[in-house]
Amino acid sequence: MERQNDAFRNRWALTVLLTVAVLSSLALLVFLGWSFFRKQRMELLKRSRHEVACLQQQIDSLQEQIDDNQGEARTFQEKLMALEAEKKSKEIRIRQLETTFRSKHISLSVEAIEAAQVYLQVVSRKTPAYHPSSDRSALEHWMNLSLDCWAERLAIRYPSLTNGEKDICYLCRLGLGFDEMALLLGVQSRSVERTVYRICRKMGLSQGSKEEFRSRIFMVN
């Protein structure tokens, strides 16, 4: 009887060990599989964001060409619509990918966190940075959150502004000087001045002065 009990206990212990080993192996396989899946999704997300940024650069360039070459506006407009459609499709894909990485314990949205990060980069006194093609939408989101939908109100009141012109308006509203804007955007001060002049024309400001422009920016309602 004792031998039978010992044999039973040995078989039971062996069964438990085998079960634990199998479950551990399964858990390890699931973990490795999820890690590989997550890594692939992260790479796809980065690639998609880079593609959207490249498309935005092309859109910005076309908008400037449309603004400067009204005679060929129709051709540029068709190209612009095609790029906008492609960009929108990729942005939807990015949103789908982002949901994969959202934590249930994070109270702030991914958009709000990214918007705050871009804002802090722009106003940094040590190493300011702003990349319009990839940062513009986040900065718009921040300004809508912090300034009572200011970016939306600007777009509604002055719908003819190009993205490059909006960048100047945003940076001005954040309190940056014109030389600081030029440095941040990587352009000459004269380029900023020409853009300000075009914006003033679209806003109906006769003199087109920097002071007039800055006053209007802070009065957008």
Side-chain angles (χ1 to χ4, degrees):
M1 180 65 72
E2 289 181 1
R3 289 180 179 179
Q4 289 179 346
N5 289 337
D6 289 339
F8 176 77
R9 282 194 294 270
N10 290 335
R11 285 196 299 272
W12 181 82
L14 181 60
T15 301
V16 170
L17 289 174
L18 288 174
T19 302
V20 170
V22 170
L23 291 176
S24 299
S25 300
L26 288 174
L28 180 61
L29 287 174
V30 169
F31 174 76
L32 293 175
W34 168 247
S35 298
F36 179 72
F37 171 79
R38 184 181 176 87
K39 183 179 179 180
Q40 281 189 318
R41 286 295 179 270
M42 280 294 288
E43 291 176 352
L44 181 58
L45 179 59
K46 290 179 181 178
R47 187 163 61 250
S48 297
R49 284 178 170 170
H50 176 70
E51 290 172 353
V52 166
C54 291
L55 285 171
Q56 187 62 62
Q57 286 181 334
Q58 296 177 53
I59 290 170
D60 292 348
S61 177
L62 278 174
Q63 284 183 329
E64 295 297 335
Q65 292 179 56
I66 290 172
D67 198 55
D68 295 335
N69 302 278
Q70 294 298 326
E72 303 177 12
R74 184 174 180 179
T75 302
F76 288 133
Q77 195 69 42
E78 291 175 353
K79 293 180 180 179
L80 180 62
M81 290 175 64
L83 288 172
E84 288 281 11
E86 185 178 355
K87 179 188 168 214
K88 185 176 181 180
S89 175
K90 290 185 181 297
E91 285 178 336
I92 292 173
R93 179 56 177 159
I94 286 174
R95 292 290 176 266
Q96 293 172 341
L97 289 168
E98 284 177 341
T99 58
T100 307
F101 306 104
R102 283 183 177 154
S103 170
K104 296 180 180 179
H105 304 293
I106 296 178
S107 57
L108 291 175
S109 67
V110 173
E111 291 82 1
I113 294 172
E114 291 179 345
Q117 290 174 339
V118 169
Y119 166 72
L120 292 174
Q121 288 175 0
V122 170
V123 299
S124 171
R125 292 301 177 186
K126 292 184 178 179
T127 55
Y130 178 62
H131 307 287
S133 59
S134 57
D135 294 342
R136 184 182 297 116
S137 60
L139 186 59
E140 287 175 347
H141 189 62
W142 173 260
M143 299 188 79
N144 286 330
L145 286 175
S146 61
L147 297 173
D148 191 23
C149 296
W150 185 88
E152 289 182 7
R153 287 187 277 117
L154 179 72
I156 292 171
R157 186 164 181 181
Y158 305 109
S160 64
L161 292 176
T162 65
N163 284 331
E165 292 166 349
K166 288 179 181 178
D167 290 329
I168 297 296
C169 294
Y170 297 159
L171 298 177
C172 179
R173 185 62 181 83
L174 291 177
L176 273 70
F178 293 98
D179 290 338
E180 290 178 306
M181 295 181 202
L183 184 62
L184 196 61
L185 296 171
V187 299
Q188 298 293 325
S189 297
R190 290 182 179 179
S191 178
V192 173
E193 291 174 1
R194 286 195 297 268
T195 302
V196 169
Y197 179 75
R198 290 202 306 269
I199 297 172
C200 286
R201 282 191 306 171
K202 294 181 179 182
M203 290 183 170
L205 303 177
S206 57
Q207 296 181 0
S209 68
K210 295 178 181 179
E211 293 74 18
E212 217 178 6
F213 166 70
R214 190 178 293 277
S215 297
R216 179 59 62 88
I217 288 298
F218 280 85
M219 291 173 59
V220 171
N221 53 34

